[in-house]
């Protein structure tokens, strides 16, 4: 037998489609974790069987495109051996799922873990088919392979178009990958395909979303783990494209349409979080904290901090002698700092960059060590030393829940009177959450909770109207009316929301119902006048629109009747004037 015996591609099997990613018809392969040593089971529905001889390590298995290294012995069912890498003393390497071996191998080996040993029984349809592989393998032969998976090197098409292929040389730690806002520190070496060195860097830091050197670098780094080393094969479109890049200093020129080989190591990165989801408060973690718990609203936190202007001027420094203490969500510090600390873990050190909307706004502000100019972006280096969380609702007894809800309601009322509608809304929402589930309450406690929920939802609806969130205002009023169908304030505020949402018929229904209950309610009567004016405004607008539309149509089709149709127009919206 030839020492260089290689398996023909699955495309050579009778009926195959040749090349590419081949999948066994039927179900996905059975997880190897489901097999015990000595157990045999079918994989998929095409007759491929696997018997576990020795368990492998860990839980990972290779994927399509990975370069796998195996030892194997192949036999016919009568025991006749036709090939063995073990006899040759050299492991066999190939790319999984790329049609370089028979289908049974591609499907079987991707169920194996590193170090695993298994015997695969492969029907002819997944092996060499009707033709066999003369002179050693007869036609329509079922084969057995004793396979040990020694290792594999992961090769991923990370651009999904063949433009960037990543071969993992050294596995990284944990499972996290950098995101666009994160700052990564990498080492890399870029060469042309002929081995010509373009550039070598012993360390550079950049923001992932901003990119560096060429587009492939940022795309690759987002797929890597800390400490990972990889070889990138980069097509021109992800390198320097049709134009190439001229020589600069010690850097060699990159010719047009040149592919690159890049050795890349992700040394470390600093996580940057978009605290407010609008990129106006960014938290860069300089030192990881402990555990997973973070402060909640109402938590008492102790920090060490230093605040600076954009030019480096220090305007506040606290916590060196004794920790600076404040309460989360109580407006004791600027909003951006409050939100950022709420997202920190104990022991974490972070650099927080805060734009004016979440800092000191459009006015000048005197601080401990300097004046903050109007419209300033500021930064704080903060260390969260400790915190004590506010008691959660599940830790409270029923009376504590009711008392806490009542206190949050009063806090909401105070914020509403101060014109802080978003803050007031959050307080009302929090109050309702404490008493949302009342199945364990006594009848008296249920009544207290119901009254509180109605009041908080009504007041929150008023906040939403002020904030022009009319849909949410309508939902909150509807909740109140489900509990108290005759609540005039809920009908009145829902009518206000409907008017702004141009749901004038529904607004009229609510106003009429409110007036049936309280005929002399001045606020409701005033809202009825506003509604009537809206109706007149919309009728006038509709009449003009339809009049113009019909006039244009009739000029084209019936010039003599255009005036008559325009006068007819659309039927105006009507409203009951009894109030």
């Amino acid at each position: 037998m030839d020492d260089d015996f290689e398996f023909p591609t699955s495309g050579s099997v009778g009926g195959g489609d040749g090349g590419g990613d081949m999948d066994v018809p039927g179900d996905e392969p059975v997880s190897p974790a489901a097999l015990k040593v000595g157990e045999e089971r079918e994989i998929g529905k095409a007759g491929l069987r696997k018997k576990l001889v020795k368990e492998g390590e860990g839980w990972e298995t290779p994927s399509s495109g990975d370069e796998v290294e195996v030892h194997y012995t192949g036999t016919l069912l009568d025991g006749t051996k036709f090939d063995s890498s073990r006899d040759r003393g050299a492991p066999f390497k190939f790319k999984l799922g790329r049609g370089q071996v028979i289908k049974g191998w591609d499907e079987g080996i991707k169920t194996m873990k590193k170090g695993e040993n298994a015997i695969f029984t492969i029907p002819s349809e997944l092996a060499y088919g009707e033709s066999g592989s003369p002179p050693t393998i007869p036609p329509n032969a079922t084969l057995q392979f004793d396979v040990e998976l020694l290792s594999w090197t992961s090769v991923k098409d990370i651009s999904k178009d063949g433009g960037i292929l990543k071969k993992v040389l050294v596995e990284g730690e944990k499972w996290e990958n950098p995101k666009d806002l994160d700052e990564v520190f990498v080492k890399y070496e870029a060469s042309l395909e002929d081995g010509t060195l373009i550039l070598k860097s012993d360390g550079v830091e950049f923001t992932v979303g901003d990119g560096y050197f060429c587009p492939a670098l940022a795309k690759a780094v987002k797929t890597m783990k800390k400490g990972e080393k990889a070889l990138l094969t980069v097509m021109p479109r992800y390198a320097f494209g049709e134009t190439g890049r001229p020589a600069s200093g010690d850097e060699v020129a990159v010719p047009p349409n040149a592919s690159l080989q890049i050795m890349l190591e992700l040394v470390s990165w600093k996580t940057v979080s978009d605290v407010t989801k609008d990129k106006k408060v960014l938290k860069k973690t300089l030192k990881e904290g402990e555990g997973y718990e973070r402060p909640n609203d109402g938590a008492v936190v102790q920090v060490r901090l230093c605040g600076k202007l954009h030019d480096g001027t220090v305007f506040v420094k606290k916590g060196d002698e004794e920790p600076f203490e404040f309460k989360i969500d109580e407006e004791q510090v600027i909003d951006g700092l409050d939100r950022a600390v709420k997202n920190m873990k104990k022991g974490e050190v972070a650099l927080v960059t805060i734009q004016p909307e979440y800092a000191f706004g459009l006015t000048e502000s005197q601080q401990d060590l300097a004046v903050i100019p109007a419209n300033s972006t500021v930064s704080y280096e903060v260390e969260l030393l400790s915190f004590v969380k506010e008691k959660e609702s599940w830790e409270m007894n029923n009376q504590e829940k009711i008392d806490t809800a009542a206190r949050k309601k009063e806090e909401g009322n105070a914020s509403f009177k101060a014109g802080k509608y978003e803050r007031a809304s959050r307080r009302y929402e929090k109050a309702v959450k404490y008493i949302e589930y009342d199945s364990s309450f006594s009848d008296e406690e249920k009544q207290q909770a119901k009254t509180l929920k109605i009041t908080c939802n009504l007041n929150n609806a008023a906040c939403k109207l002020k904030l022009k969130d009319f849909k949410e205002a309508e939902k909150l009023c509807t909740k109140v009316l489900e509990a108290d169908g005759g609540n005039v304030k809920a009908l009145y505020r829902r009518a206000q929301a409907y008017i702004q949402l141009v749901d004038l018929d529904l607004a009229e229904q609510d106003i009429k119902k409110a007036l049936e209950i309280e005929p002399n309610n001045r606020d409701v009567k005033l809202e009825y006048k506003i509604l009537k004016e809206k109706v007149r405004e919309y009728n006038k607008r509709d009449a003009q629109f339809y009049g113009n539309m019909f006039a244009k149509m009739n000029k084209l089709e019936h010039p003599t009747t255009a005036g008559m149709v325009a006068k007819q127009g659309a039927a105006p919206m009507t409203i009951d004037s009894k109030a």
Side-chain angles (χ1 to χ4, degrees):
M1 185 181 296
D2 189 347
D3 285 348
D4 292 326
F5 179 92
E6 288 191 2
F7 297 107
T9 65
S10 50
S12 68
V13 176
D17 56 7
D21 292 347
M22 303 279 182
D23 292 325
V24 174
D27 295 343
E28 288 297 309
V30 173
S31 168
L35 284 173
K36 297 177 182 178
V37 172
E39 184 180 359
E40 184 176 24
R41 188 171 299 174
E42 184 174 359
I43 298 174
K45 293 183 178 178
L48 175 65
R49 299 188 67 80
K50 174 182 176 181
K51 181 179 180 180
L52 185 62
V53 177
K54 184 184 82 171
E55 290 186 349
E57 306 168 9
W59 55 271
E60 290 184 318
T61 57
S63 303
S64 289
D66 291 352
E67 289 183 354
V68 298
E69 184 176 45
V70 301
H71 262 315
Y72 70 91
T73 300
T75 62
L76 303 178
L77 286 183
D78 63 7
T80 302
K81 180 165 60 174
F82 56 83
D83 189 35
S84 174
S85 66
R86 296 181 177 97
D87 292 348
R88 292 195 300 273
F92 177 59
K93 295 181 181 180
F94 69 97
K95 283 189 177 180
L96 190 63
R98 292 294 184 261
Q100 295 180 357
V101 293
I102 58 175
K103 285 184 180 180
W105 266 49
D106 270 340
E107 292 305 318
I109 289 173
K110 70 181 181 183
T111 70
M112 299 181 74
K113 293 179 284 190
K114 184 178 178 181
E116 182 179 322
N117 186 190
I119 295 173
F120 293 99
T121 301
I122 305 176
S124 64
E125 294 83 0
L126 301 179
Y128 299 96
E130 295 177 358
S131 58
S133 183
T136 55
I137 299 174
N140 299 310
T142 295
L143 308 178
Q144 282 193 330
F145 287 94
D146 182 329
V147 181
E148 181 183 2
L149 178 57
L150 302 174
S151 65
W152 72 86
T153 302
S154 179
V155 179
K156 304 291 183 186
D157 179 2
I158 59 176
S159 59
K160 307 299 183 187
D161 60 2
I164 308 172
L165 299 179
K166 185 185 80 167
K167 179 178 180 178
V168 178
L169 305 177
V170 177
E171 287 289 343
E173 305 169 12
K174 300 183 180 178
W175 53 269
E176 300 102 326
N177 308 116
K179 306 292 188 295
D180 279 339
L181 291 174
D182 295 344
E183 292 183 6
V184 296
F185 183 75
V186 304
K187 296 179 181 179
Y188 70 95
E189 183 177 308
S191 305
L192 298 176
E193 282 187 301
D194 63 6
T196 303
L197 180 65
I198 299 168
L199 179 65
K200 181 176 181 180
S201 171
D202 291 327
V204 64
E205 189 172 61
F206 65 93
T207 298
V208 176
D210 294 342
Y212 190 80
F213 183 61
C214 70
L217 220 61
K219 285 184 177 292
V221 109
K222 287 167 71 172
T223 71
M224 297 176 73
K225 295 177 283 190
K226 182 180 177 181
E228 182 178 322
K229 294 181 182 179
L231 174 63
L232 308 180
T233 301
V234 184
M235 297 298 107
R237 60 184 174 278
Y238 292 104
F240 296 98
E242 297 178 355
T243 58
R245 194 180 79 156
S248 175
D250 295 334
E251 298 177 19
V252 174
V254 178
N257 295 311
S259 296
L260 303 181
Q261 295 280 309
I262 302 176
M263 295 286 290
L264 179 63
E265 178 184 359
L266 176 56
V267 179
S268 63
W269 79 84
K270 294 167 186 168
T271 301
V272 179
S273 306
D274 182 2
V275 175
T276 49
K277 308 304 180 189
D278 57 7
K279 298 184 180 178
K280 293 184 177 180
V281 179
L282 299 178
K283 178 177 75 75
K284 177 164 68 175
T285 300
L286 305 178
K287 177 190 165 190
E288 288 290 340
E290 306 167 11
Y292 62 92
E293 284 205 326
R294 293 176 170 85
N296 58 356
D297 286 342
V300 176
V301 300
Q302 292 188 324
V303 302
R304 183 183 294 120
L305 62 81
C306 178
K308 295 181 182 180
L309 297 175
H310 188 64
D311 63 4
T313 302
V314 176
F315 61 84
V316 67
K317 196 168 186 180
K318 294 184 176 181
D320 283 341
E321 295 180 3
E322 60 180 54
F324 172 54
E325 185 174 287
F326 67 93
K327 204 171 186 180
I328 295 288
D329 199 33
E330 289 293 340
E331 297 187 310
Q332 295 175 3
V333 295
I334 60 170
D335 190 23
L337 180 60
D338 196 80
R339 294 184 188 218
V341 172
K342 185 182 172 183
N343 279 274
M344 294 177 70
K345 294 180 283 191
K346 182 182 176 182
E348 181 178 337
V349 179
L351 180 64
V352 183
T353 304
I354 308 171
Q355 293 193 21
E357 295 91 326
Y358 296 94
F360 298 94
L362 302 175
T363 57
E364 189 178 273
S365 176
Q366 176 66 53
Q367 295 298 299
D368 293 353
L369 303 176
V371 173
I372 308 286
N375 206 32
S376 291
T377 294
V378 297
S379 63
Y380 290 85
E381 185 168 316
V382 188
E383 180 179 3
L384 179 56
L385 302 171
S386 66
F387 62 90
V388 178
K389 296 178 76 171
E390 183 174 73
K391 212 171 184 180
E392 301 282 4
S393 62
W394 53 268
E395 300 174 298
M396 300 178 179
N397 61 38
N398 293 346
Q399 193 56 51
E400 283 178 317
K401 290 178 183 177
I402 291 169
D403 291 343
T404 304
R407 188 174 74 252
K408 297 295 179 188
K409 183 201 78 173
E410 292 305 321
E411 290 172 5
N413 291 350
S415 294
F416 188 90
K417 288 173 184 175
K420 299 175 180 178
Y421 304 120
E422 285 188 11
R423 180 177 174 79
S425 176
R426 291 199 301 271
R427 285 294 186 270
Y428 294 133
E429 286 169 1
K430 195 169 294 182
V432 170
K433 283 182 180 177
Y434 280 106
I435 51 176
E436 193 169 10
Y437 303 106
D438 58 5
S439 58
S440 65
F441 287 17
S442 67
D443 290 342
E444 182 182 350
E445 288 167 341
K446 283 182 179 178
Q447 187 55 48
Q448 286 178 287
K450 179 181 177 182
T451 302
L452 272 171
K453 278 190 271 191
I454 286 174
T455 303
C456 289
N457 283 331
L458 271 176
N459 292 354
N460 197 8
C463 293
K464 297 301 184 184
L465 288 170
K466 291 285 189 182
L467 295 167
K468 302 189 185 304
D469 188 351
F470 304 116
K471 286 187 177 180
E472 196 59 35
E474 179 268 323
K475 289 178 184 176
L476 287 163
C477 291
T478 299
K479 279 186 182 179
V480 172
L481 291 166
E482 286 170 355
D484 178 10
N487 191 296
V488 172
K489 282 187 179 178
L491 290 166
Y492 166 63
R493 287 176 188 165
R494 190 167 72 171
Q496 288 181 299
Y498 280 143
I499 288 172
Q500 296 301 322
L501 294 168
V502 199
D503 240 328
L504 304 184
D505 289 336
L506 292 176
E508 181 188 9
Q509 290 175 25
D510 280 354
I511 288 175
K512 286 171 71 175
K513 186 171 181 180
L515 289 173
E516 285 174 10
I517 299 166
E518 292 184 14
N520 297 316
N521 188 306
R522 292 179 62 186
D523 288 336
V524 180
K525 283 187 169 185
L526 178 61
E527 201 63 31
Y528 207 2
K529 288 181 180 178
I530 293 171
L531 175 62
K532 290 175 183 177
E533 184 56 39
K534 284 278 185 187
V535 170
R536 282 192 289 271
E537 180 186 330
Y538 278 97
N539 281 339
K540 183 178 178 181
R541 192 181 302 170
D542 285 350
Q544 184 177 4
F545 172 77
Y546 285 111
N548 290 339
M549 183 179 72
F550 286 131
K552 287 177 183 177
M553 289 172 60
N554 280 279
K555 279 180 183 177
L556 294 172
E557 297 179 12
H558 306 289
T560 57
T561 60
M564 181 176 65
V565 175
K567 285 180 184 178
Q568 289 174 355
M573 184 186 295
T574 60
I575 193 164
D576 190 344
S577 61
K578 294 176 184 177

